[in-house]
Amino acid sequence: MNPDEADARVELAETRYLKAKKEADALLEDLFTAYVDAANAGRTADQLAKPETFTAGYIRRKLRERGVEPRKGGPKPRST
C-alpha cells in the first residue's frame, strides 16, 4: 500500500467512525429520554437497569441530571 492509499484509508475510517459516533450519541439521548418518560410513568431505575446497558445507579444519576426527582420511599440516607 502506498502512502496515498494509506491516507485515503485513514480518512475513510475516520469519516465512518465520526458518523457512527454521532448516530450513537443521538441514540443514547433517545434512550435517556425514554428512561425519563418511563420514570415519570412510575418505573424505577432498578426496573429500567439491564446488565447489557446501564446500572440502576447510573440511570438514577442521569435521571437526576434531567430533572427527575427521587421517588418517595426510596433508599434512606445512612446515619453515621
Side-chain angles (χ1 to χ4, degrees):
M1 176 179 299
N2 69 43
D4 289 337
E5 291 171 330
D7 290 345
R9 187 172 177 194
V10 167
E11 187 174 335
L12 176 62
E14 286 174 341
T15 300
R16 291 173 64 195
Y17 167 77
L18 292 172
K19 180 181 177 194
K21 183 175 182 330
K22 184 177 179 181
E23 290 172 1
D25 290 345
L27 292 171
L28 183 62
E29 191 56 37
D30 289 348
L31 175 59
F32 279 104
T33 298
Y35 284 157
V36 168
D37 292 343
N40 288 332
R43 294 289 183 220
T44 66
D46 290 320
Q47 291 170 322
L48 298 172
K50 293 184 178 148
E52 60 273 4
T53 53
F54 300 107
T55 65
Y58 184 75
I59 292 171
R60 266 186 221 95
R61 187 169 71 239
K62 292 298 187 179
L63 289 173
R64 300 301 169 261
E65 289 173 5
R66 287 165 170 76
V68 177
E69 295 295 321
R71 294 183 68 193
K72 299 215 184 295
K76 305 295 182 230
R78 292 184 190 179
S79 58
T80 53

